[in-house]
Amino acid sequence: MTKKQRALLCVEALKKEYPDAICSLNYKNDFQLLVATRLSAQCTDARVNIVTPALFEKYPTVEAFAEADVADVEEIIRSCGFYRTKAKDIIGMAQKTLSDFGGMVPDNIEDLTSLPGVGRKTANLICGDIFGKPAVVADTHLIRISNLLGLVETKDPFKVETALRKLLPPEESNDFCHRCVLHGRAVCVARRPACEKCCMADFCKSAKK
């Protein structure tokens, strides 16, 4: 079986197991997703979803974030960890979005990664979820599961992204990433994968037979 054949089997198995492939972060617009994703670094999505309602109520627009007091943002997001860096990045993202992109969140990876605190993982998420473009969000779940499945042999996020772009149908890649997150939380957990419950066990290279 080739990697591409295995990838297609994985896509179909996960689609059947998790029909609703959605981002677990709560947001109402593109900039809110950008902010929520920045907050999610080294923090659970559940915690971010607790913090963002108050943050978005106080700062409802890109303009409001651009003029925000950094100490106030720090206080609101403190429980997300690394709050000083994240607050500085969020305000910087808003300011650069206004100054360089007319207040509109960019729709491509190159421009998105020019924003403070935005790496390829976040940029791919925005491209996929907001703009409907083919995207590969190389987070810890995707990297771990792709290696276990035998689709990739690297833990480098960029190399994983590049490899999966070649293996996955473009129209399926973004949802595949969301489904890997769901699967990584529910079944293929890092410490003890439940291979006996896995919908991909029959063709997973690492499955315990």
Side-chain angles (χ1 to χ4, degrees):
M1 183 186 300
T2 67
K3 287 184 178 180
K4 192 148 195 167
Q5 289 171 327
R6 183 178 289 110
L8 293 176
L9 288 173
C10 294
V11 166
E12 292 306 315
L14 287 174
K15 189 186 295 187
K16 187 178 294 184
E17 191 76 9
Y18 308 98
D20 298 320
I22 57 173
C23 178
S24 54
L25 293 168
N26 296 333
Y27 65 96
K28 294 181 180 178
N29 57 54
D30 48 7
F31 193 76
Q32 285 190 358
L33 179 57
L34 197 59
V35 171
T37 306
R38 181 65 189 95
L39 291 175
S40 70
Q42 306 298 313
C43 180
T44 66
D45 290 354
R47 166 54 55 183
V48 173
N49 288 338
I50 291 172
V51 168
T52 49
L55 182 67
F56 294 154
E57 182 177 2
K58 185 156 190 180
Y59 302 104
T61 64
V62 178
E63 290 80 4
F65 270 112
E67 297 174 0
D69 176 69
V70 67
D72 184 56
V73 174
E74 286 176 359
E75 188 58 34
I76 296 172
I77 69 171
R78 180 181 290 267
S79 64
C80 289
F82 302 97
Y83 61 93
R84 294 188 192 281
T85 301
K86 290 178 180 180
K88 181 181 177 183
D89 284 345
I90 288 168
I91 293 171
M93 286 191 305
Q95 292 171 343
K96 191 172 178 67
T97 298
L98 286 172
S99 64
D100 291 17
F101 305 108
M104 304 295 291
V105 172
D107 65 355
N108 63 85
I109 288 177
E110 182 179 358
D111 286 341
L112 281 163
T113 52
S114 74
L115 299 174
V118 177
R120 290 190 67 87
K121 183 177 78 170
T122 296
N124 269 283
L125 182 65
I126 297 296
C127 284
D129 279 30
I130 298 298
F131 298 107
K133 294 185 174 183
V136 175
V137 183
D139 75 340
T140 54
H141 292 291
L142 182 74
I143 292 170
R144 178 169 52 80
I145 291 173
S146 296
N147 274 276
L148 290 172
L149 288 167
L151 299 179
V152 300
E153 294 86 28
T154 177
K155 294 184 179 179
D156 179 88
F158 180 70
K159 290 180 180 178
V160 170
E161 177 192 334
T162 302
L164 290 181
R165 282 185 182 276
K166 295 176 182 177
L167 296 176
L168 298 169
E171 69 277 9
E172 298 285 358
S173 60
N174 193 54
D175 286 348
F176 177 80
C177 298
H178 285 315
R179 290 180 174 120
C180 278
V181 172
L182 296 173
H183 193 63
R185 290 172 178 165
V187 178
C188 192
V189 294
R191 292 184 179 179
R192 186 176 293 179
C195 298
E196 70 281 0
K197 298 178 182 178
C198 182
C199 60
M200 299 181 287
D202 288 345
F203 42 85
C204 175
K205 277 201 164 186
S206 305
K208 298 171 185 174
K209 305 299 184 185

